Each structure stands twice: as structure tokens, then as C-alpha cells.
Amino acid sequence: MDFFDISKLNHIVTIKIWNNLEKYRDYFSKMNKSIPNWEVARAAINKNEARIDLMCLKERMKCEGHQNDKLDNLLKVIVHEFVHICHMTFNDYNATMIWFGEGLATNLSNQFKKMEINCSLDDIIYGNAKYINYYSMVKYLLDNYSKEYILMLSKNKKLLENITNDIYYKTIEYINCTNH
């Protein structure tokens, strides 16, 4: 909340912990939501409610890439999803680019330690990259731009669309020069 200069949310955040992976996937599938096989949580917010749906540790270990998760991973995901709720509150529930939203969430929840870009610019633009790529681009922004500029980007999807190409290539150069 401090990052977005939010002193209070508009409503209580409910956290639902799912103890059955199939029921979780069925629930969101019935709402015509796509459920990737690696997904272990999601946040939802609108003017009426804020909610985090989260797989319990035992069930999340059945998801792709989560076989070795520990309690610390679960806690970071709760913070990650809470960042989405804060971001959406800050930008008045408007959409943002996937790379930016996920990059903020992964940075503010400390989910990665090392920067890396291992995808194409198109993967970034269309939201088809691994989260480490989004983390790296926002880490570059956090390391090189003011908080005020990043908060401006948080509210301005058009500006994000216009700078994504530049940020992608600057991030690659930054990684190569600093060995993050």
C-alpha cells in the first residue's frame, strides 16, 4: 500500500484458500476464465469486492513448476496478489499491460533475485512470457526511474504501450552491463 501511496482500501480483502485443485480450476473455468496449468492464485477486484483465491500448499505442488514450493512461496504469492489489488485500486480499476502488472507484483513481493530476459518482445507485448521477464523489466524501471514516473505508468496504459519496446531493449542492455 505504501508503494502506491494508498492509506486505505475501499473494502476488505477476502482470501479464499482452496484445498482442491480441480474445484479451483472448475470454478474459474465456469466463469469463462482461462486457467494455465501453472496458476496457483489470482486476485479479483472491482468497485464491490476484493478477493484473493489461493491454492493451499499441498494442492499447489500439483501445478506445473510448483513441485518444490515451500511456505515462503505461498506467502510471497499472497503479497503478489495483494499488490495487484493495490495497483487496481490506485489506477481506478483500469487495465494495464500484463508485463507491467506482473512485474510490479513480482518485484514488490520479492519473488525473484536475478534479472533475465529469455523471450521475444512480442512475448512481452502479448503477455506470453515467464514472470522473470516481467520482473526484470520492472526491476530495470525501479532501478533507473523515479517512483513518481512508475506511478504515472501505473495509471497510463497508453504510455506503457508506447515505451514497452524501449524498456525491453534497455532492460537487456542493463542486464548485460550489470550482470544482475
Side-chain angles (χ1 to χ4, degrees):
M1 291 175 62
D2 287 343
F3 181 82
F4 294 104
D5 297 324
I6 298 171
S7 59
K8 184 179 178 199
L9 293 174
N10 297 333
H11 25 267
I12 293 170
V13 178
T14 303
I15 300 175
K16 178 173 181 167
I17 299 175
W18 293 78
N19 63 4
N20 185 298
L21 177 60
E22 294 312 313
K23 286 183 181 178
Y24 173 89
R25 289 181 175 164
D26 287 346
Y27 176 81
F28 289 106
S29 294
K30 287 177 183 166
M31 295 171 37
N32 293 322
K33 305 275 184 181
S34 174
I35 310 297
N37 58 4
W38 49 262
E39 180 179 301
V40 294
R42 64 175 50 209
I45 184 169
N46 57 45
K47 292 182 178 167
N48 301 316
E49 72 171 334
R51 176 176 162 159
I52 296 172
D53 287 274
L54 178 74
M55 295 302 310
C56 70
L57 186 57
K58 179 182 170 192
E59 290 297 296
R60 71 187 274 130
M61 293 173 84
K62 297 176 184 176
C63 298
E64 181 182 313
H66 294 280
Q67 292 72 29
N68 298 316
D69 280 5
K70 303 284 187 248
L71 185 58
D72 185 56
N73 302 106
L74 188 76
L75 298 173
K76 286 180 180 182
V77 169
I78 292 170
V79 174
H80 174 116
E81 299 304 333
F82 186 72
V83 169
H84 287 312
I85 288 170
C86 293
H87 183 197
M88 291 301 289
T89 299
F90 178 77
N91 77 3
D92 297 321
Y93 313 102
N94 292 307
T96 191
M97 293 188 77
I98 290 171
W99 75 264
F100 187 75
E102 297 302 344
L104 280 174
T106 53
N107 272 276
L108 296 177
S109 63
N110 297 310
Q111 287 180 282
F112 295 100
K113 300 287 183 228
K114 187 177 178 203
M115 295 174 69
E116 149 182 344
I117 297 287
N118 59 16
C119 67
S120 70
L121 176 59
D122 279 348
D123 289 335
I124 295 292
I125 291 169
Y126 297 110
N128 295 325
K130 292 188 177 187
Y131 280 32
I132 185 120
N133 296 280
Y134 307 141
Y135 164 85
S136 298
M137 288 178 65
V138 172
K139 175 79 169 121
Y140 164 77
L141 287 171
L142 290 166
D143 287 354
N144 292 284
Y145 293 85
S146 69
K147 178 181 172 184
E148 292 74 25
Y149 181 70
I150 294 166
L151 290 176
M152 183 176 70
L153 293 175
S154 294
K155 287 190 176 223
N156 192 331
K157 185 178 179 193
K158 192 68 169 163
L159 179 56
L160 272 173
E161 290 169 348
N162 290 336
I163 67 159
T164 295
N165 185 5
D166 190 43
I167 297 302
Y168 172 80
Y169 288 109
K170 284 183 176 178
T171 301
I172 291 171
E173 184 178 321
Y174 184 67
I175 292 169
N176 289 338
C177 289
T178 59
N179 292 323
H180 280 92

